[in-house]
Amino acid sequence: MRNLFLLGAASAALIPVLLPATAAAQTAAPATSATPTPDASGAKDIVVTAQRLDSARDAILPSLGASDYQINRRILESQPGGVDRSLVQVLLQAPGVTLDSYGAVHVRNEHANLQYRLNGVIVPESISGFGSTFDPRIADTVDLLTGTLPAQYGYRTSGVINLKTRSGSFDNGGDVGFYGGSRGTIEPSASLRGSAGKLSYFVSGSYLENDIGVENPTASRDAIHDHTRQYRVFGYLSDILSDSSRLTVFSGSSIGHFQIPNNPGQGDPATNFSLNGNTTFDSAKLDQNQREITHYGVLAYQYAGGALNFQIAPFVRYSQTRFTPDPQGGDLILSGVADTSRLSSLTAGVQADGSYKLSDSHTLRFGLFFQNERTRSLVTSRVFTVDGSGAQTSTVPLSITDSGGRNGQLYGAYLQDEWSLTPTLTLNYGARFDAVRAYTREQQLSPRINMVWTPATGTTFHAGYARNFTPPPQELIAAPTLALFNGTTKATEIATADPVRAEREHYFDVGVQQVVVPGLKIGLDAYYKIKRNLLDEGQFGPSLVLSPFDYATGYAWGVELSGSYTHGPVDLYFNVARGEEKGRNVVSSQYFFAQDELDYIAGHSIFTDHSQRWTASGGGSVTIRNGLGKLVPSVDFLYGDGLRADDPINNVPNGGKLPSYFTANFGIAQNFDGPGILKGLSIRFDVTNIADKVYLIRDGSGVGVGAPQYGARRGFFGGIRKTF
């Protein structure tokens, strides 16, 4: 696929090889661009100024020495499902990205540790759940940065996902569409973009309803009690203040309602708990639900002057997750605990980034970051009393409320220099300082260095080192009062609850990218990580919100092979990754574990549950011109050699693995060129999981894994969209 994935290092030397000419301006001094010649209306001036400011913004935050995989708008629209597929499905087609349950992905075998940015500005992460905060249809491009990131990237460093949002600066118009199909899928959407003088805007909204909001815990074609309704809106407004400055505001909301799917045949009357004399409950009739909301907003002022360029962006984000158990007492009978939980997080802060061109050989980049987060947790638990042996002593449940809150801050600053040693050799070196003041009080100075060498046209080597500092996700830490539950069915075997600490990492990365023949690019990248206080997360309670903990030490390594081929109307790509991650000795939130697990992990390095041995993805499309316009058939696939599972024979946590799987999707779209009402019309048909494979994502075992999940069975979908 043309420009689908940019393989290897995106550097001053590399960008002109891989990117179209408009993107090469990322490494140029934007302020030196020639002043556009105005036309009668001044509209051309405004368009060119907006383009130049976009280039200046990108140049402040380049990906020098990191691996930059970019999916552009044309590819988003041509892939199976088009822009109606989720951001997770889009990211799974990038190298080293692993599918997990509950809508999660892992980059280079890391759990979470992903940073989301819109137009280069950090949007603080939401409380984890099933729904995606961001909709791919708002993006012109989606970039995934991995590897040894430059100093401007901190906090979440396994991958930086940057969505460059659409705007109305370049054309007026919009679209309205409808997509639907199997499992009751209904997905209407619409967008509008345009400009008036120096003001431009873009708004987008979508609604999704279906019967597979969460992965099916059984191998059946249709899940039981799995209905979801999801709403997403996004708005962008930009005002060009002068030839060298603009003010931008963008905001969005995501609201999701999820039924928790049921697994029939759970529980045993002989071991179930008794609620008012009743010891039986059909697990297929449980009625658990979760609601997730996220609202965010950013105000950004950008200046692109002579040698100096900068952007200052205050931001705010509110996130809330509510879980409600079965109202008929099914949770109490089957597990002895029914939690009603509410977690919320209000975050506000500011991000400032700038660059200063000292000379033709040196460009300084610098920035500051501050974030204040207020988190609250309110959990009301219905439990039974038990005796010293764990036997139930009363059939009347108790109600215990545990609440808490915390103010926490993140501080950061960085300085780095892009040094062009020769026309073919670039060194980017610097450091960042980070501090966290929340459930833990820690700080670190982190040096970063990357080298990019282009010895010949079409050949690029990169190598780098990064010291990373990853604070624990404050929004996921509830810090329960364990003593409240002594003598009840919610009492923990372990009473130790050491605080979750920040992960510290030494990261090494080396790679090469080669243009074999015009249109064919191959990339090879290898990495190794040494970790202290390795952060992981797991589902340890009835609420489907993950909780963090640390391994004292850990390591990760991997190798990625990627390629893309473009020739005329044909676009192809492929990715293969091999890797693993291990941790040793749990040193925080020990109460989540059983004593035998803690004892084993204290003396042995174990695979983290999200460590996948092999991952592969690929696909392609062909554009066929016909009498109606353009016919675009496409296909993509995903292969995984199983996430981790427990080894029941040797009793090793995460010592086994799930069977490998291969699944493929097919799509075909007809884009009409006209005449009349047909112009801008597109119809599509998609088949997911063509072979109707039954495959496990999780089997319910493993550290912090709460229930089995299966991948979706075959589905048929169709859509129509009118662009105007």
Side-chain angles (χ1 to χ4, degrees):
M1 291 183 173
R2 187 174 295 113
N3 296 322
L4 174 58
F5 294 123
L6 307 185
L7 307 175
S11 67
L14 175 60
I15 287 178
V17 176
L18 299 180
L19 289 175
T22 55
Q26 291 184 13
T27 59
T32 63
S33 302
T35 302
T37 302
D39 58 14
S41 66
K44 183 177 180 181
D45 277 352
I46 295 170
V47 170
V48 174
T49 299
Q51 292 173 326
R52 186 171 59 82
L53 289 169
D54 281 346
S55 296
R57 180 186 62 199
D58 295 341
I60 295 172
L61 297 167
S63 54
L64 296 165
S67 297
D68 183 359
Y69 306 95
Q70 185 183 88
I71 305 172
N72 61 31
R73 183 71 185 185
R74 190 180 63 82
I75 299 305
L76 286 172
E77 293 175 343
S78 66
Q79 63 190 355
V83 295
D84 294 299
R85 66 183 351 191
S86 70
L87 183 58
V88 165
Q89 292 170 318
V90 171
L91 293 174
L92 285 172
Q93 297 304 307
V97 180
T98 301
L99 173 66
D100 201 351
S101 57
Y102 301 147
V105 295
H106 306 297
V107 175
R108 292 190 166 184
N109 282 327
E110 295 268 6
H111 185 93
N113 199 16
L114 293 174
Q115 180 180 126
Y116 289 88
R117 294 187 173 211
L118 295 180
N119 299 324
V121 179
I122 296 174
V123 177
E125 58 210 285
S126 304
I127 297 173
S128 66
F130 314 121
S132 174
T133 302
F134 306 109
D135 193 333
R137 62 172 48 85
I138 72 173
D140 263 339
T141 61
V142 178
D143 282 81
L144 173 61
L145 304 181
T146 61
T148 50
L149 301 175
Q152 65 263 32
Y153 299 103
Y155 309 113
R156 305 288 175 254
T157 52
S158 71
V160 176
I161 299 163
N162 184 48
L163 280 71
K164 185 175 181 180
T165 63
R166 310 192 79 187
S167 71
S169 299
F170 310 115
D171 59 349
N172 296 332
D175 63 74
V176 59
F178 180 86
Y179 192 71
S182 297
R183 301 176 187 89
T185 298
I186 299 173
E187 189 174 5
S189 62
S191 71
L192 183 67
R193 64 186 182 275
S195 59
K198 296 182 179 181
L199 196 68
S200 63
Y201 61 89
F202 171 75
V203 292
S204 173
S206 66
Y207 170 76
L208 172 64
E209 181 177 356
N210 63 34
D211 292 321
I212 187 165
V214 185
E215 287 87 354
N216 193 344
T218 74
S220 62
R221 187 176 302 277
D222 299 309
I224 302 171
H225 189 263
D226 199 8
H227 193 71
T228 181
R229 291 174 289 115
Q230 301 175 43
Y231 311 80
R232 294 183 186 86
V233 294
F234 176 80
Y236 172 98
L237 184 65
S238 178
D239 185 18
I240 296 177
L241 305 177
S242 69
D243 288 345
S244 59
S245 64
R246 69 176 165 187
L247 191 66
T248 301
V249 60
F250 53 87
S251 63
S253 291
S254 173
I255 302 174
H257 301 267
F258 300 88
Q259 293 180 338
I260 308 304
N262 296 331
N263 193 357
Q266 302 303 298
D268 181 347
T271 57
N272 285 350
F273 293 88
S274 176
L275 176 63
N276 299 324
N278 186 8
T279 60
T280 61
F281 191 90
D282 184 357
S283 61
K285 296 181 179 180
L286 284 169
D287 185 17
Q288 301 170 325
N289 293 271
Q290 187 154 302
R291 188 185 76 168
E292 304 167 2
I293 63 174
T294 297
H295 309 301
Y296 61 89
V298 175
L299 175 67
Y301 172 77
Q302 181 191 353
Y303 173 79
L308 177 66
N309 300 279
F310 65 84
Q311 179 172 270
I312 301 174
F315 58 83
V316 63
R317 189 271 293 145
Y318 177 76
S319 181
Q320 182 191 99
T321 295
R322 290 187 176 186
F323 175 83
T324 55
D326 179 72
Q328 304 302 316
D331 298 272
L332 280 166
I333 294 173
L334 296 173
S335 64
V337 178
D339 283 349
T340 301
S341 64
R342 172 179 170 174
L343 304 178
S344 65
S345 167
L346 176 62
T347 301
V350 62
Q351 176 185 336
D353 300 284
S355 67
Y356 185 79
K357 192 168 183 63
L358 288 174
S359 66
D360 291 340
S361 300
H362 292 273
T363 300
L364 291 181
R365 292 185 174 89
F366 45 87
L368 299 171
F369 180 85
F370 170 75
Q371 173 182 300
N372 183 82
E373 182 173 13
R374 174 63 177 174
T375 53
R376 297 179 182 272
S377 64
L378 177 64
V379 181
T380 299
S381 303
R382 298 180 70 206
V383 296
F384 295 116
T385 56
V386 295
D387 60 22
S389 66
Q392 185 177 353
T393 59
S394 172
T395 62
V396 179
L398 297 175
S399 183
I400 301 175
T401 298
D402 188 13
S403 62
R406 180 64 61 100
N407 269 328
Q409 295 82 37
L410 290 177
Y411 306 87
Y414 69 88
L415 176 65
Q416 63 184 347
D417 175 30
E418 178 188 345
W419 183 7
S420 298
L421 297 166
T422 72
T424 62
L425 182 62
T426 300
L427 186 68
N428 191 60
Y429 63 97
R432 64 176 297 121
F433 176 80
D434 298 295
V436 57
R437 299 290 184 266
Y439 287 97
T440 182
R441 299 177 63 86
E442 301 178 74
Q443 56 277 323
Q444 178 176 287
L445 180 65
S446 305
R448 309 277 180 88
I449 185 168
N450 283 292
M451 185 222 25
V452 180
W453 179 42
T454 308
T457 301
T459 303
T460 303
F461 293 93
H462 75 271
Y465 164 79
R467 180 86 163 116
N468 292 326
F469 178 81
T470 303
Q474 181 182 327
E475 69 278 2
L476 299 184
I477 301 176
T481 309
L482 300 179
L484 288 175
F485 302 100
N486 289 342
T488 73
T489 46
K490 197 177 177 180
T492 59
E493 179 181 347
I494 305 297
T496 305
D498 290 332
V500 184
R501 300 184 64 81
E503 177 179 298
R504 301 168 188 267
E505 175 184 76
H506 297 280
Y507 196 149
F508 305 89
D509 185 280
V510 62
V512 60
Q513 187 257 322
Q514 178 67 51
V515 178
V516 181
V517 296
L520 176 61
K521 307 180 184 75
I522 302 293
L524 183 65
D525 201 275
Y527 62 90
Y528 187 78
K529 308 178 187 182
I530 304 171
K531 296 174 177 286
R532 181 158 62 93
N533 295 327
L534 188 162
L535 274 171
D536 199 355
E537 298 172 9
Q539 182 202 338
F540 297 101
S543 175
L544 300 185
V545 174
L546 302 181
S547 300
F549 65 95
D550 293 292
Y551 294 96
T553 59
Y555 70 86
W557 65 267
V559 179
E560 297 170 355
L561 175 66
S562 303
S564 65
Y565 174 71
T566 297
H567 182 72
V570 178
D571 297 307
L572 303 170
Y573 70 95
F574 72 92
N575 311 294
V576 180
R578 169 73 170 94
E580 70 175 39
E581 182 182 68
K582 283 189 171 184
R584 183 185 184 103
N585 190 19
V586 175
V587 290
S588 65
S589 301
Q590 294 91 335
Y591 63 93
F592 289 139
F593 298 83
Q595 187 62 57
D596 58 344
E597 278 187 311
L598 289 177
D599 292 342
Y600 185 90
I601 299 172
H604 303 81
S605 292
I606 67 166
F607 287 104
T608 54
D609 69 285
H610 49 270
S611 178
Q612 182 159 284
R613 183 174 298 178
W614 288 96
T615 302
S617 61
S621 69
V622 57
T623 300
I624 304 169
R625 293 189 176 274
N626 56 22
L628 299 175
K630 297 177 182 177
L631 183 70
V632 185
S634 60
V635 65
D636 64 29
F637 72 86
L638 184 68
Y639 171 83
D641 187 19
L643 295 173
R644 309 309 303 182
D646 283 344
D647 178 359
I649 297 176
N650 299 306
N651 198 29
V652 177
N654 295 343
K657 74 174 186 67
L658 300 178
S660 61
Y661 64 86
F662 178 93
T663 182
N665 308 311
F666 170 78
I668 186 167
Q670 175 65 60
N671 303 313
F672 294 87
D673 289 341
I677 195 172
L678 289 179
K679 185 174 180 61
L681 185 68
S682 175
I683 59 173
R684 65 175 310 113
F685 176 72
D686 301 296
V687 184
T688 60
N689 192 354
I690 299 171
D692 198 24
K693 292 287 187 180
V694 177
Y695 63 98
L696 271 168
I697 302 174
R698 294 289 193 179
D699 69 355
S701 71
V703 175
V705 179
Q709 290 97 27
Y710 286 79
R713 300 286 294 274
R714 181 166 52 213
F716 299 92
F717 303 89
I720 183 169
R721 183 169 300 278
K722 170 66 174 177
T723 301
F724 53 88

